[in-house]
Amino acid sequence: MIDIPQVITIASTDASGGAGINADLKTFHNQGVYAATIVVGLTAQNTYGVQDQYPIPAKFILEEFKSIADDLDIKAAKTGALLDEVRVHAVAQGWQSHNLGKLIIDPVMVAKGGAHLLSDTAIDTLKTELIPLAFLITPNLPEAEVLVGRSLKTDQDIIHAAMTIQNMGVKNVLIKGGHRADSKNEFADYILYADGSSEWLTMPGIKTKRTHGTGDTLSSFITANLAKGYNLKDIMPVAKKFTYEAIRQTINVGHGHGPLNHWVAITMGTEDNK
């Protein structure tokens, strides 16, 4: 019998398969962990955008939590699109009743076009109820701006924002810089660790619109390898490279913002990472 690390995604489905739970499961499989799901919502979407969504009743979400906690040995979990205040509260309630290891929050709050995907009340619930429970949060730049309530233009703005978010109770904060290129067309993510140390992780830009599911893929890679026992500081450079290659080695699916290549062969501790 083979022991295998077990993880869970707490998120919504993507009918087109490129983001959400679908991207999480593909990344988890790639990284060799067993994946369970707590479905928070269903979405009718494709590479052009989201056409409709169907929230799962809060009572059923809590039943999903109980079913998993009663049987599986989950080492790490991640959230994705939680849709609204009711669902955010249900997830926080479920987590407090059934702790499922390290919690990684991918706060799906702002669409690529700039539209807010969570209401102000839902964002407040996220900040007061869910973020304090998390091991890591991974907002992109627009999401970090919403969380701290101010524009983030400079490196110092981002550093101070990470501190502000960490003060909400989360241990580690990763602010993704995919919306902000520097003069060399490089994009830098900033991570503030629980021990107060920090670093910038930089990759060259790629001219492509095939970036659907980037945040899900990155956070899933981190979740999988935390469950496998790796240290977050060791995971981060490899997670960044995995996501970069999943974008660079593009696949031809869809006619809008196409999905990433989840067949990329990069794992912790292999020669491929050099």
Side-chain angles (χ1 to χ4, degrees):
M1 186 177 295
I2 302 170
D3 288 328
I4 189 165
Q6 298 164 41
V7 299
I8 193 163
T9 169
I10 307 164
S12 299
T13 63
D14 173 1
S16 69
I21 282 176
N22 308 66
D24 295 337
L25 294 178
K26 292 171 185 177
T27 307
F28 289 151
H29 184 78
N30 178 297
Q31 291 301 297
V33 295
Y34 181 88
T37 61
I38 291 176
V39 181
V40 172
L42 312 175
T43 70
Q45 67 172 292
N46 53 30
T47 61
Y48 292 124
V50 178
Q51 291 77 49
D52 201 357
Q53 60 186 34
Y54 180 83
I56 299 298
K59 182 177 183 297
F60 189 83
I61 293 170
L62 295 175
E63 288 297 329
E64 292 182 272
F65 266 98
K66 186 175 187 307
S67 293
I68 297 302
D70 284 350
D71 189 23
L72 302 188
D73 182 19
I74 304 296
K75 298 298 184 186
K78 72 167 292 286
T79 67
L82 301 182
L83 303 186
D84 59 25
E85 179 186 4
V86 172
R87 263 38 64 174
V88 174
H89 176 71
V91 170
Q93 184 179 354
W95 188 267
Q96 288 175 310
S97 298
H98 310 285
N99 189 304
L100 300 174
K102 289 185 171 73
L103 176 63
I104 292 79
I105 295 177
D106 180 11
V108 182
M109 298 162 52
V110 182
K112 282 185 170 63
H116 284 203
L117 301 176
L118 285 179
S119 67
D120 289 344
T121 54
I123 292 167
D124 288 342
T125 304
L126 182 79
K127 289 164 69 172
T128 59
E129 296 187 20
L130 197 56
I131 289 177
L133 305 175
F135 175 79
L136 169 69
I137 189 169
T138 65
N140 59 31
L141 203 56
E143 290 162 347
E145 290 179 334
V146 171
L147 287 172
V148 300
R150 59 181 182 270
S151 178
L152 305 177
K153 300 296 185 185
T154 68
D155 288 356
Q156 281 302 118
D157 289 341
I158 292 171
I159 290 169
H160 290 150
M163 293 177 181
T164 300
I165 295 170
Q166 192 177 62
N167 286 336
M168 295 175 188
V170 59
K171 293 181 174 63
N172 304 278
V173 181
L174 170 67
I175 298 181
K176 298 173 292 187
H179 293 75
R180 176 178 174 261
D182 64 15
S183 59
K184 300 178 182 177
N185 193 36
E186 293 183 331
F187 295 85
D189 297 346
Y190 176 77
I191 184 162
L192 174 62
Y193 294 106
D195 64 5
S197 64
S198 63
E199 61 180 328
W200 291 90
L201 299 165
T202 303
M203 283 288 179
I206 302 171
K207 189 176 181 179
T208 180
K209 64 178 182 178
R210 297 187 174 277
T211 57
H212 186 51
T214 300
D216 303 296
T217 300
L218 175 66
S219 55
S220 295
F221 185 99
I222 296 168
T223 303
N225 285 288
L226 286 171
K228 289 160 75 172
Y230 288 101
N231 181 277
L232 181 60
K233 290 185 180 182
D234 294 329
I235 292 170
M236 286 311 306
V238 189
K240 182 78 171 174
K241 181 174 181 181
F242 177 86
T243 307
Y244 173 82
E245 290 297 329
I247 297 171
R248 188 183 70 83
Q249 298 180 38
T250 187
I251 57 175
N252 186 18
V253 176
H255 297 86
H257 291 278
L260 276 58
N261 179 354
H262 291 101
W263 289 281
V264 170
I266 295 176
T267 57
M268 296 293 297
T270 67
E271 291 300 313
D272 291 332
N273 300 332
K274 295 182 179 178

